[in-house]
Amino acid sequence: MPDQPDWRSARQPDQQPERRAEPFPQLRLVLAVSLDGRLAPAEGGAAQIGGPGDRRVLEEALAWADACLIGARTLRLHGCTCLIHAADLLEQRRRQGRSDQPVALVVSRRADFDPHLRFFTQPLERWLLTPELAAGVRPEPVAAARSEAFSSPATPPAPPPGFAAVQPLGPWPDTLRELAAAGLHRLVLLGGADLAGQLLAEHLVDQLQLTLCPRLLGGPHSWLPAGLDLASSRWTLLEQRVLEGEELLLRYGRLLSHPLSGRR
């Protein structure tokens, strides 16, 4: 009997995904979507359509990451962010000398969060990315390499309550360079759709990790904003895995580059 194919990796040897030139971090978009590409039911609400299989691969992505990006609207809808709970993944990060959880990077135009959100009691470090402030505040460093990452004025503004640091949100390429300089080299993007659309439109997402859930939801809540104008790009399949609950993990890497990536 011929050997069975390894469905975990479908990439051909001549199909190498892009590696973003320094000083950009690697950015992976991680989502669970319905068969018709929806994040949430037609009536709206928090996007929670994945099952235990999706939860496992989400935590694997978080274990890989130095930080996760989350949009303000998504945070306000859910009230919290995703944490790693699997004992083997926590132990893996500890062996690597890393914190149990990646840093949470909240992207918001305003620093006006409800202090009673569960997010502010979760056991992780929180940074705020916002255009509202003109200067950044460096946290007591998560790693020594981050100690010179952010420039500060003589009297830097204090971060909002609950946040260890605040970073001005400028053009995305500049912001990502500053995050990489702060030691955040692997980023997971958890949503929402507007934030994902911005970063995809600027050719800054390196990997797409999609869990297909066996449901049809209908409605307007797609994983990308309606009317988003995206340039054509090619992606290669890095991994596919059948998950518990008949869900399917598909992970793609970008093949074609953009001038910002420093590659052709």
Side-chain angles (χ1 to χ4, degrees):
M1 176 179 289
D3 292 340
Q4 295 297 312
D6 181 2
W7 294 111
R8 286 175 173 259
S9 177
R11 176 167 52 85
Q12 299 302 313
D14 60 342
Q15 292 181 307
Q16 297 297 326
E18 287 192 341
R19 293 188 61 83
R20 191 168 298 283
E22 296 297 337
F24 281 94
Q26 296 181 65
L27 180 55
R28 181 189 299 183
L29 173 59
V30 178
L31 296 171
V33 298
S34 66
L35 296 177
D36 54 343
R38 299 315 193 256
L39 285 174
E43 61 271 20
Q48 295 176 331
I49 66 172
D54 172 63
R55 181 71 203 194
R56 172 66 192 191
V57 295
L58 167 61
E59 292 195 20
E60 289 174 4
L62 293 174
W64 167 85
D66 297 316
C68 59
L69 283 163
I70 181 171
R73 182 173 181 275
T74 298
L75 177 60
R76 291 183 176 105
L77 267 175
H78 289 263
C80 60
T81 190
C82 301
L83 297 178
I84 302 168
H85 297 288
D88 61 320
L89 298 178
L90 291 170
E91 179 58 29
Q92 171 187 305
R93 288 182 65 92
R94 292 165 186 163
R95 287 197 308 268
Q96 295 167 346
R98 306 163 80 194
S99 60
D100 282 2
Q101 308 294 334
V103 175
L105 305 173
V106 180
V107 181
S108 180
R109 294 188 180 277
R110 306 182 313 277
D112 57 349
F113 293 94
D114 180 352
H116 301 294
L117 289 177
R118 186 157 63 93
F119 174 68
F120 292 108
T121 64
Q122 290 184 291
L124 46 68
E125 186 165 338
R126 291 164 285 272
W127 296 9
L128 178 65
L129 306 182
T130 178
E132 197 171 76
L133 299 174
V137 175
R138 185 191 68 206
E140 290 304 316
V142 178
R146 302 179 191 174
S147 61
E148 301 301 325
F150 297 112
S151 60
S152 300
T155 307
F163 290 93
V166 60
Q167 171 67 13
L169 180 63
W172 272 113
D174 294 342
T175 299
L176 291 177
R177 287 187 187 99
E178 291 178 1
L179 292 174
L184 304 179
H185 300 292
R186 297 175 174 181
L187 304 182
V188 159
L189 172 57
L190 298 176
D194 288 340
L195 182 56
Q198 291 172 28
L199 290 161
L200 282 165
E202 294 196 43
H203 308 272
L204 295 171
V205 175
D206 300 290
Q207 293 187 17
L208 298 175
Q209 178 176 315
L210 304 176
T211 297
L212 291 182
C213 303
R215 302 172 63 182
L216 294 173
L217 295 177
H221 304 295
S222 174
W223 66 280
L224 289 175
L228 179 66
D229 184 17
L230 284 180
S232 176
S233 60
R234 292 178 57 214
W235 299 73
T236 185
L237 185 61
L238 302 177
E239 180 183 8
Q240 57 183 356
R241 197 190 318 172
V242 177
L243 307 176
E244 182 181 349
E246 298 185 331
E247 295 175 341
L248 178 65
L249 168 71
L250 298 172
R251 184 164 62 89
Y252 288 91
R254 183 186 295 276
L255 275 177
L256 294 185
S257 65
H258 182 267
L260 281 175
S261 70
R263 300 180 305 279
R264 294 184 64 82

